[in-house]
Amino acid sequence: MIPGEAHRERVLSPAEEDKYLAAATAVGEGIVESYARALEGIRATIRGEVPAKPRDPYLLRDVGTLLLDCGLRPEECFRLKWEQVREGVIEIQDGKTENARRRIPLSQRAISVLQMRGRETGADGWVFPAPTRSGHMEPSTVKKQHLRACALAEVGQFPLYTFRHTCLTRWAPHMDPWTLAYLAGHRDMSITKRYVHPQEHTTRAAMEKARGAQTGHKSGHSAEMDNSSDALTVTVIN
């Protein structure tokens, strides 16, 4: 941590992200395969016991992708409704503060995930329905799958909130802090600072860009002055 910081947050590397999502997909495939084996097992073929069909085997993969690409708070993702997904954006309509209301453009990967899920699969309009009291998924819904994915990917265990922090940290070098705060749904910039982790290469690039702009401004100003002087000289001579 930089001296003076009060929080320590983990940021997944691109390699860790790839391994985790591959593991989450493998977890889903394992659920599907287990169901297929159960259909051919003794209980189903001889005893007539019909195994329960998995509700949403790729739930963890889809949720992880949306959190990584959109920077949503986990609870915002859990209670997302299809009516909030329109014209390539997610509309967050309420939250902890007034600033939680915002429109977040979807990445192509997030769009693909939502298209695969299909609006017709959402009970009561939930994008991620689940057999819970609320009707939508809760942290407990994917707890075991998440731990399994971390083990398969061989990455240290982390909370789902790490996906949001990873997303916002990756966005930070490519946009001004006010845009970042808006997309994050923060009420003040002191919170946004937690998601900004300047690296030497990004700060150096920013300084070079600023110096280049400053030099260009001075050169343009000098040229204007030269042109103005020429015009004045001509006028006096005439």
Side-chain angles (χ1 to χ4, degrees):
M1 294 191 299
I2 296 176
E5 284 189 338
H7 302 274
R8 182 189 299 274
E9 297 283 0
R10 179 174 177 180
V11 176
L12 299 180
S13 69
E16 288 177 318
E17 174 188 334
D18 290 343
K19 290 194 294 184
Y20 179 89
L21 292 179
T25 301
V27 169
E29 291 172 347
I31 294 173
V32 173
E33 291 172 1
S34 295
Y35 174 67
R37 288 195 299 270
L39 289 175
E40 299 176 355
I42 295 176
R43 290 185 176 182
T45 57
I46 298 179
R47 299 178 184 175
E49 299 177 8
V50 180
K53 185 177 181 179
R55 288 178 56 94
D56 201 342
Y58 298 102
L59 176 63
L60 178 63
R61 178 201 63 189
D62 294 353
V63 168
T65 300
L66 217 58
L67 293 176
L68 278 165
D69 284 11
C70 300
L72 297 171
R73 296 180 176 91
E75 62 271 19
E76 292 173 336
C77 184
F78 298 165
R79 62 171 183 259
L80 189 66
K81 285 199 167 188
W82 284 111
E83 64 189 36
Q84 296 173 250
V85 182
R86 62 183 70 182
E87 300 177 356
V89 301
I90 287 178
E91 294 183 354
I92 302 300
Q93 299 164 349
D94 53 54
K96 294 191 299 185
T97 67
E98 209 173 285
N99 298 80
R101 294 173 59 100
R102 60 201 191 279
R103 288 166 55 89
I104 305 171
L106 289 164
S107 67
Q108 187 55 56
R109 185 169 67 166
I111 290 174
S112 297
V113 164
L114 292 172
Q115 287 177 339
M116 285 190 293
R117 296 191 66 80
R119 292 176 181 266
E120 68 278 359
T121 62
D124 296 324
W126 301 114
V127 175
F128 302 110
T132 61
R133 181 177 297 180
S134 64
H136 58 72
M137 69 169 293
E138 301 287 353
S140 58
T141 307
V142 293
K143 183 177 181 179
K144 291 183 179 179
Q145 292 184 30
H146 174 61
L147 295 177
R148 177 61 176 155
C150 287
L152 286 175
E154 297 182 342
V155 298
Q157 293 180 16
F158 57 87
L160 293 179
Y161 200 91
T162 296
F163 290 136
R164 168 175 162 85
H165 188 78
T166 297
C167 176
L168 298 182
T169 301
R170 291 177 181 175
W171 282 351
H174 306 289
M175 61 182 67
D176 63 86
W178 308 108
T179 301
L180 181 63
Y182 167 76
L183 291 174
H186 291 155
R187 66 177 180 271
D188 58 61
M189 293 301 297
S190 64
I191 300 175
T192 306
K193 289 179 180 178
R194 292 179 54 190
Y195 296 86
V196 180
H197 304 272
Q199 302 295 322
E200 183 176 354
H201 70 280
T202 57
T203 54
R204 186 179 297 277
M207 289 300 298
E208 291 298 330
K209 183 178 180 180
R211 288 168 180 158
Q214 187 176 26
T215 303
H217 174 71
K218 287 182 177 179
S219 299
H221 181 68
S222 299
E224 290 174 3
M225 290 296 290
D226 292 342
N227 293 336
S228 297
S229 299
D230 292 344
L232 179 61
T233 302
V234 172
T235 301
V236 172
I237 292 174
N238 289 338

